Amino acid sequence: MAKELRRLRRESGKTREQVADFVGCSPVTITRIESAQTAGTVPIVARMLEAYGIAGDEHEAFLKLCREARKRGWWQRYSDSIPEWFQVYVGIEEEAASLRIYEAEVVPGLLQTESYATATYLAEPVILEEAEIQRRVALRMQRQQRLFEAGDTPSMWVVLSEAAVRRQVGGVEVMKEQLLHLDQLSRRPNVMLQVLPFTAGAHPGMQGGFTILAFPEAMDPNVVYVEYRQGGLYLEGHDEVEAYKVMYNHLCAQALGREETRAFITRVADGLR
């Protein structure tokens, strides 16, 4: 049902934002329904169908599916280990055609090694049970596998602050492995990696990391995702998204180029003792 609802929206020529305005919900809710993270409530699906001009038997068939089933994404097997707000993000990430990521303090989850990811959980104020950490790391590794090995692999442009490259998460050996992994990923045709060095001075991303997600259909607006300690924000307003795009362009301009970045990462790795 999720794919059919997405198809109907696209055929109607409407964006998620327009449908959300008509339904009276958040654009993220429409995304969750279309990515099969939730089947949606009957009233919401009914309003979506109304927006697409669907009536009669087809309308009733969709509502019957809505009442009888709730399709779940692959990540639902980890639902007892990750909060609902992050399940929403994973569903959106699955749909993306491109990801533009800036991180100031840590290597992004999609670029982490298993050892590095484990070390980030071991640094939490309250350490989780070992089995729970393993489940969360497994989710992170599966996100990577699905994005890097999918037939329609999204393009990924990542800008990392020098702090994220130099911080010895997990110790010397773990960090060396992580830096080698970054070098290898940067050689993929769909990955652009840049380091923003300390020598760049003040820059517009000093308030923290963010991700800009773009989707295959031009009519679907970009989404900016900003994560905080207990949740995530989804910014979809045109002015908000454009402000982050401009900021990202400035970060790219101030960061090292592709080859300079590889040389920088190699120097940092060689200097680890």
Side-chain angles (χ1 to χ4, degrees):
M1 186 176 76
K3 289 183 179 180
E4 286 300 300
L5 287 172
R6 184 164 62 248
R7 177 185 64 80
L8 289 173
R9 177 178 58 77
R10 289 172 176 171
E11 289 180 354
S12 73
K14 292 180 171 61
T15 65
R16 289 184 178 90
E17 195 170 51
Q18 290 172 329
V19 176
D21 286 342
F22 183 86
V23 173
C25 66
S26 162
V28 172
T29 298
I30 303 300
T31 297
R32 291 180 66 193
I33 293 171
E34 289 188 350
S35 62
Q37 198 278 327
T38 178
T41 64
V42 171
I44 286 180
V45 173
R47 285 287 285 171
M48 291 172 68
L49 295 172
E50 184 180 346
Y52 308 146
I54 305 301
D57 292 343
E58 188 177 8
H59 183 275
E60 289 305 311
F62 269 107
L63 293 188
K64 182 178 179 181
L65 283 174
C66 183
R67 294 186 185 98
E68 292 178 350
R70 177 184 296 270
K71 286 191 68 176
R72 292 180 179 270
W74 62 267
W75 57 89
Q76 289 295 320
R77 76 189 67 170
Y78 302 99
S79 61
D80 59 343
S81 297
I82 57 175
E84 183 177 351
W85 59 265
F86 193 69
Q87 293 179 44
V88 174
Y89 175 75
V90 175
I92 295 173
E93 183 182 78
E94 282 270 304
E95 290 189 16
S98 71
L99 301 166
R100 281 172 281 181
I101 303 170
Y102 170 68
E103 281 292 352
E105 289 291 326
V106 65
V107 173
L110 290 176
L111 305 184
Q112 292 176 3
T113 64
E114 188 170 341
S115 297
Y116 184 102
T118 300
T120 64
Y121 285 112
L122 293 175
E124 290 292 322
V126 178
I127 306 299
L128 299 169
E129 295 287 339
E130 182 178 355
E132 180 63 20
I133 292 176
Q134 290 176 351
R135 281 179 58 79
R136 296 192 181 198
V137 171
L139 168 66
R140 193 165 295 181
M141 296 302 106
Q142 189 158 357
R143 282 172 59 210
Q144 294 180 15
Q145 181 179 5
R146 292 182 68 86
L147 286 177
F148 286 120
E149 298 181 9
D152 53 349
T153 303
S155 63
M156 191 177 301
W157 195 315
V158 181
V159 177
L160 292 179
S161 169
E162 181 174 341
V165 175
R166 289 195 178 278
R167 190 176 305 285
Q168 293 186 24
V169 175
V172 171
E173 293 307 315
V174 170
M175 199 62 202
K176 279 188 175 181
E177 178 190 35
Q178 177 63 67
L179 293 175
L180 176 61
H181 186 59
L182 288 177
D183 179 81
Q184 292 172 338
L185 289 176
S186 74
R187 300 176 189 277
R188 288 176 173 262
N190 66 312
V191 177
M192 175 63 177
L193 178 64
Q194 294 182 267
V195 168
L196 182 65
F198 292 145
T199 53
H203 60 82
M206 294 173 70
Q207 291 181 333
F210 60 91
T211 299
I212 304 172
L213 302 99
F215 303 93
E217 296 295 328
M219 67 181 67
D220 292 337
N222 292 178
V223 174
V224 175
Y225 174 70
V226 181
E227 189 170 309
Y228 58 95
R229 186 69 180 175
Q230 298 296 327
L233 297 175
Y234 299 89
L235 308 176
E236 300 181 82
H238 178 269
D239 291 345
E240 293 174 319
V241 173
E242 287 302 310
Y244 274 88
K245 285 183 179 179
V246 170
M247 178 162 59
Y248 198 80
N249 289 339
H250 278 271
L251 293 172
C252 291
Q254 291 178 258
L256 301 176
R258 185 192 297 271
E259 295 303 325
E260 292 175 298
T261 289
R262 288 176 184 155
F264 183 90
I265 289 173
T266 298
R267 288 197 301 272
V268 174
D270 289 344
L272 290 175
R273 296 289 187 271

